[in-house]
Amino acid sequence: MGGLQRFEQRLEQAISGVFARTFRSAVQPVEIAAALQRELDNQAQVLSRQRRLVPNSFVVELSSSDLERLAPYDSTLANELTTQLTEHAELQSYVFPGPIRIVFESAEDLGTGRFRVRSQAEAEVTGQSRRSSTQRTRAVLEVNGTQHPLQAPGLVVGRGSEADLRINDPGVSRRHAEFLVTSPAGESGTSGTGPVQVEVHDMGSTNGIRVDGQKVARARLGDGSRVQIGHTSLVLRLLQEAGQVVEDV
């Protein structure tokens, strides 16, 4: 029995056939499962001879009528699709950079029975505060939809447990890059009112770093600067309000 057939059987058992009858003339769950598997196959990036990185975040766009029919069963379907993708990835030696996430959205340009899939690889990000601080947060790093405070003297980004900001990305070294922060008065812990100065340094990583598309060993950053490490982008945001507080995740 093929993987998609097992998927149909699991889904039918989970919802007692109600979903299949509801979608008889619209989008079929097995079509979505097949499209997600193709998305993995088409987007796979070679990491090594036996490992390939694939997306783990998916948006399934449907017509408003199909999305309305799906609404009562979207959690069950997402869970079954996650199981199906996990099994397919194991067979193909695919590696997910983080937990699988599947959401369903409406698209005005799609008619009943039509859908499309968007995907991206989103590494799991964990912030670890290694020092207590009463500093005001004047800068943050945006990573995969989360914000992490960036305060003097700075932080280390990497995949290892010793990094201040851990990114579960196979293309990221254990200690990949260091973000150095100089406070307005030039001393760590001061409470000046001017803009902070931020630099990023490569820490001898395997794949290096890119700032706004250019490979560098070190660079001064400004508001909106995009730092690429591995398959993950980190965007620097300088905060306008000196008293703004951002909670680490």
Side-chain angles (χ1 to χ4, degrees):
M1 182 184 298
L4 293 177
Q5 289 177 301
R6 289 196 300 272
F7 165 77
E8 284 188 301
Q9 285 193 353
R10 286 198 306 262
L11 187 61
E12 184 175 355
Q13 292 172 357
I15 58 180
S16 303
V18 176
F19 185 90
R21 291 195 297 272
T22 301
F23 270 67
R24 186 166 295 158
S25 61
V27 172
Q28 298 298 315
V30 69
E31 294 176 332
I32 299 176
L36 290 175
Q37 285 190 185
R38 288 195 300 271
E39 190 72 9
L40 293 189
D41 298 337
N42 293 337
Q43 299 298 326
Q45 301 180 42
V46 176
L47 295 175
S48 66
R49 187 173 180 179
Q50 297 181 333
R51 298 170 70 237
R52 287 180 288 177
L53 180 73
V54 292
N56 62 313
S57 178
F58 304 89
V59 176
V60 180
E61 296 182 333
L62 309 109
S63 68
S64 57
S65 59
D66 282 338
L67 186 62
E68 185 177 351
R69 293 187 183 97
L70 171 67
Y73 321 106
D74 57 356
S75 296
T76 298
L77 179 56
N79 290 338
E80 293 301 330
L81 289 170
T82 297
T83 299
Q84 178 68 18
L85 290 182
T86 300
E87 292 177 355
H88 184 66
E90 290 174 353
L91 289 174
Q92 301 297 326
S93 297
Y94 292 155
V95 177
F96 295 109
I100 297 174
R101 185 178 70 92
I102 302 173
V103 297
F104 304 94
E105 294 182 356
S106 175
E108 295 182 357
D109 63 323
L110 294 177
T112 300
R114 300 287 300 279
F115 71 95
R116 60 173 166 255
V117 173
R118 293 187 285 109
S119 70
Q120 60 181 339
E122 288 189 349
E124 184 176 17
V125 182
T126 306
Q128 302 184 79
S129 178
R130 297 185 179 276
R131 61 180 71 88
S132 60
S133 174
T134 58
Q135 296 180 63
R136 293 172 176 174
T137 298
R138 294 184 173 85
V140 296
L141 287 176
E142 291 184 351
V143 193
N144 291 344
T146 61
Q147 289 190 337
H148 303 268
L150 188 56
Q151 300 175 333
L155 55 77
V156 172
V157 177
R159 187 163 46 86
S161 58
E162 65 272 25
D164 301 304
L165 187 60
R166 294 183 62 187
I167 300 179
N168 184 30
D169 180 334
V172 173
S173 298
R174 295 185 62 83
R175 289 170 58 86
H176 196 112
E178 184 176 19
F179 288 80
L180 299 176
V181 180
T182 304
S183 61
E187 299 178 1
S188 173
T190 59
S191 56
T193 58
V196 297
Q197 302 293 324
V198 182
E199 290 188 358
V200 62
H201 294 194
D202 182 17
M203 300 183 73
S205 64
T206 301
N207 296 317
I209 63 175
R210 290 182 178 273
V211 175
D212 297 328
Q214 300 296 316
K215 191 167 186 178
V216 298
R218 60 187 296 168
R220 176 71 62 86
L221 305 178
D223 185 38
S225 292
R226 182 176 298 271
V227 180
Q228 183 82 21
I229 64 172
H231 305 279
T232 302
S233 291
L234 302 89
V235 179
L236 174 67
R237 299 295 184 193
L238 300 180
L239 305 180
Q240 298 299 316
E241 296 294 331
Q244 185 170 350
V245 175
V246 176
E247 295 293 337
D248 203 351
V249 178

